[in-house]
Amino acid sequence: MLPVVVVHGGAGHIPKERAELSTIGVKEATRTGYAILLKGGSAMDAVVEAVALMENNPRFNAGRGSVLNVKGEVEMDAMVMDGRSLDSGAVSAVRGIANPVQLARLVMEKTKHLCLTAEGASKFARSMGVPEVPEESLITDYAKMRWKKNLEPDANPVECQMGKMGTVGAVAVDKDGNIACATSTGGMINKMEGRVGDTPCVGCGGYADNNIGAVSPTGHGEAIMKVTLSRLIIFHMEQGKTPEEASDLALTYMKERVDGLGGVVVVDPKGTWAARFSSLQMSWAAAQQGKLHFGLYRGEHFVEPVQESI
C-alpha cells in the first residue's frame, strides 16, 4: 500500500471552463509527488514539491493565482508538518514569494519557531537566499477581475470564494512509513489586510502524526479554525475511525455547528486514504500501487495507470 500521496486543489464551485484545468493540475502534482516517493524520497519532499507545483499554477488560489486582499494585494499563508517528530513550519501574510510552502519548510528546518509572519517572514526568506518576486508576477487577470467584482457593496466574498478552487494541499506516506502534510493558500477574496486563515495554524490547516495519519483541508478558513478541522479528524482516527469515516464526521460537524463547507485529503499509516468534501466540488487526485485516482464531483472516482498519464 506504500508509498501513497493524495492532493487537493481546493473545495468550492468551479466554473466549467476552469474545472478541467484544475483536475489536470492536481493530477500533475500527484504524479510529481509519487515519482519522488518511488525513488525513495521522503513524504515531506513529496508533499512540498506537489504543493509548490500548484503554487506555480495560476489555476489555483496559492502562489501565482492567489486571490487579492481588499487593497488588491497578495498575502499568502502556508504550512508543513512532519509526522515523525511533530515538527511544523508555517508562514502567514507573506508577500513577494513564489513558493510559500518551501519557505514554511525552511521555518521548520532552520528556526526554533513554528510560524513567521509578514515582514518577519520576508526578512527570514532574504536571509535564506529565497528570491523575492515582483507582486505583479503573482497576480492574474482572473484574480483582478474577481477582486473588482467583490468591491461592490452587495458582494458576498465568502460565496464568491467558491467560484475559484481554494487552498491547495497534499498528504503522503513514504516507503519508510513516515507521514507529512503541506498546505498553501492565497486566503479569502477581498480579505482585510493582515487576515490570516486556517492554513498556517497547526491542527487547523493541517496535521501529521506517524502514529495516526495526516490531513490537509480546504474551505472557509474561519469555519475550519473554529472546529480545528484537521485535529478533529485525527482525533476520530485515534478513536478507531477510518480516514473516510473520520473525514465525514468532522465535515458534517463543521457544517452543522458553524455552517462551514470544505474538504480534506487524509491518509493513515497503512496507506488507507480518503478525499472527502461537503462543498459542491473539490479537485483531488491520489497515487498508490501504480494507479492514479482522481475526481471533482461528489461520488466521482476515476482510475488510470500513473505512467499512462505522464
Side-chain angles (χ1 to χ4, degrees), residues 43-49 51-52 55 77-83 86-91 99-109 113-115 170 179-184 199-203 205-208 215-216:
M44 181 59 69
D45 289 340
V47 295
V48 169
E49 282 309 305
V51 168
E55 287 176 335
D77 306 330
M79 73 92 73
V80 298
M81 189 164 182
D82 186 335
L86 303 190
D87 285 339
S88 178
V91 291
N99 295 111
V101 73
Q102 292 170 348
L103 186 57
R105 183 176 187 173
L106 285 171
V107 171
M108 177 179 75
E109 294 177 346
H113 302 310
L114 256 67
C115 184
I179 297 177
C181 72
T183 310
S184 181
T199 295
C201 304
V202 174
Y207 204 82
V215 181
S216 174

Side-chain angles (χ1 to χ4, degrees), residues 27-42:
K27 286 167 71 175
E28 186 188 0
T30 301
R31 288 196 299 269
T32 299
Y34 192 59
I36 289 167
L37 294 172
L38 288 181
K39 288 173 189 159
S42 69

Side-chain angles (χ1 to χ4, degrees), residues 196-272:
V196 174
D198 66 290
T199 295
C201 304
V202 174
C204 299
Y207 204 82
D209 184 338
N210 274 14
N211 297 327
I212 310 152
V215 181
S216 174
T218 171
H220 184 209
E222 279 70 10
I224 290 170
M225 292 166 91
K226 286 174 187 176
V227 301
T228 54
L229 183 64
S230 294
R231 193 63 185 82
L232 182 59
I233 289 169
I234 293 292
F235 166 77
H236 286 309
M237 289 167 69
E238 282 176 305
Q239 307 304 307
K241 300 294 184 190
T242 65
E244 187 171 303
E245 290 167 343
S247 301
D248 289 350
L249 277 168
L251 287 168
T252 298
Y253 176 74
M254 185 168 79
K255 175 75 176 76
E256 290 175 353
R257 190 74 176 85
V258 296
D259 198 26
L261 296 175
V264 292
V265 289
V266 184
V267 70
D268 75 9
K270 294 177 191 165
T272 308

